[in-house]
Amino acid sequence: MANEAHPCPCDIGHRIEYGGLGREVQVEHIKAYLTESPVDAGKAVIVIQDIFGWQLPNTRYMADMIAGNGYTTIVPDFFVGQEPWHPSGDWSTFPEWLKTRDARRIDKEVDAVLKYLKQRCHAKKIGVVGFCWGGVAVHHMMMKYPEFRAGVSIYGIIKDSEDVYKLKNPTLFIFAENDAVIPLEQVSLLTQKLKENCKVEYQIKTFSGQTHGFVHRKREDCLPEDKPYVDEARRSLLEWLNKYV
């Protein structure tokens, strides 16, 4: 699983072999992976990548899973052509690399994707799901974009700001108990601050014994003791979207 000598901000886990059900499209200045829903319900979900980029098969698999439940899904390249992180990279350089890919500076791309979904896909109700780096992006979007019906932030949290608790949209946060990147103290602080400041529906779910990346990086045939948690987290994601989007 993870390289324990270099615990990374998104445990690479298993890179699944997956071709995808969708197609690549151009959305203004960025590329994206689009999967159309088998039913035209006017609903769409933006799926935001982790540090390993928009082409990671695991993320496309999750997008296709969501699409199969009635949502047109799109995985934009929020790095806008910049190289994603590679698991064999020099982890000592990671902090500097990350500074050039700020998950809170994506508004131009978000605006372009929203326009595309509304005009080209005829989406009237839109949600967003993000993993790790993308989870941070979801947290940001839930504070800035009231037009989203809901968001799901999966092992992602904004840590470096106090003004991040007044969410505008129903938001589900999913965490792992044994996350080397997001310790439980930070989850407890988020819980406390949301209780004090948040006026919309939210939920925080922490999964016992799991590590960073468990929702989208575990194989379908993962360890028997892990599978119920993976399944429950994915089911929770879909139930949140179904409830609010």
Side-chain angles (χ1 to χ4, degrees):
M1 295 296 291
N3 181 344
E4 296 304 330
H6 303 285
C8 81
C10 206
D11 181 348
I12 186 62
H14 296 284
R15 181 187 175 100
I16 65 174
E17 296 297 323
Y18 182 71
L21 302 176
R23 69 183 193 278
E24 294 187 3
V25 297
Q26 189 73 31
V27 180
E28 295 188 14
H29 63 294
I30 52 178
K31 293 181 179 179
Y33 173 78
L34 178 75
T35 306
E36 296 179 8
S37 166
V39 295
D40 182 12
K43 299 188 294 185
V45 173
I46 301 172
V47 178
I48 306 183
Q49 70 212 43
D50 58 21
I51 60 171
F52 300 105
W54 71 293
Q55 294 178 311
L56 185 76
N58 303 57
T59 305
R60 295 188 173 194
Y61 174 83
M62 294 300 295
D64 289 350
M65 181 196 77
I66 295 169
N69 283 270
Y71 304 89
T72 291
T73 58
I74 190 166
V75 186
D77 176 15
F78 278 104
F79 291 167
V80 196
Q82 294 186 94
E83 286 296 313
W85 184 256
H86 194 278
S88 64
D90 179 358
W91 287 101
S92 68
T93 68
F94 180 79
E96 288 302 313
W97 178 90
L98 191 60
K99 289 178 182 178
T100 67
R101 292 155 179 81
D102 188 342
R104 301 185 69 181
R105 295 190 176 184
I106 58 171
D107 294 355
K108 181 180 178 182
E109 287 69 48
V110 172
D111 291 342
V113 174
L114 283 173
K115 180 180 176 182
Y116 181 91
L117 289 175
K118 292 173 183 177
Q119 294 184 355
R120 299 287 294 273
C121 303
H122 310 294
K124 295 178 176 60
K125 301 176 181 179
I126 302 174
V128 59
V129 173
F131 303 91
C132 183
W133 186 94
V136 177
V138 169
H139 192 169
H140 163 72
M141 291 159 69
M142 291 299 94
M143 294 186 300
K144 180 153 187 181
Y145 287 88
E147 63 198 284
F148 283 104
R149 293 298 183 99
V152 182
S153 173
I154 303 172
Y155 25 81
I157 185 173
I158 297 176
K159 308 175 185 180
D160 57 355
S161 176
E162 272 297 308
D163 188 27
V164 294
Y165 306 110
K166 294 180 180 179
L167 306 174
K168 296 182 183 297
N169 322 282
T171 307
L172 170 64
F173 292 89
I174 291 177
F175 296 108
E177 181 185 32
N178 299 328
D179 191 329
V181 183
I182 305 176
L184 292 179
E185 292 79 16
Q186 291 182 0
V187 178
S188 297
L189 179 62
L190 176 69
T191 303
Q192 174 193 334
K193 292 290 189 179
L194 287 177
K195 186 175 182 179
E196 294 171 356
N197 296 282
C198 188
K199 306 298 184 187
V200 300
E201 291 294 317
Y202 68 88
Q203 188 174 7
I204 297 172
K205 300 191 76 168
T206 302
F207 287 81
S208 300
Q210 299 307 298
T211 57
H212 197 88
F214 79 101
V215 180
H216 74 307
R217 297 198 178 280
K218 292 267 175 81
R219 297 191 310 254
E220 294 303 291
D221 60 343
C222 62
L223 294 174
E225 58 265 33
D226 289 332
K227 194 174 190 310
Y229 297 109
V230 176
D231 290 344
E232 183 186 346
R234 293 178 179 179
R235 187 166 58 249
S236 296
L237 180 165
L238 291 170
E239 288 174 350
W240 194 263
L241 294 175
N242 291 342
K243 183 175 181 179
Y244 293 106
V245 179

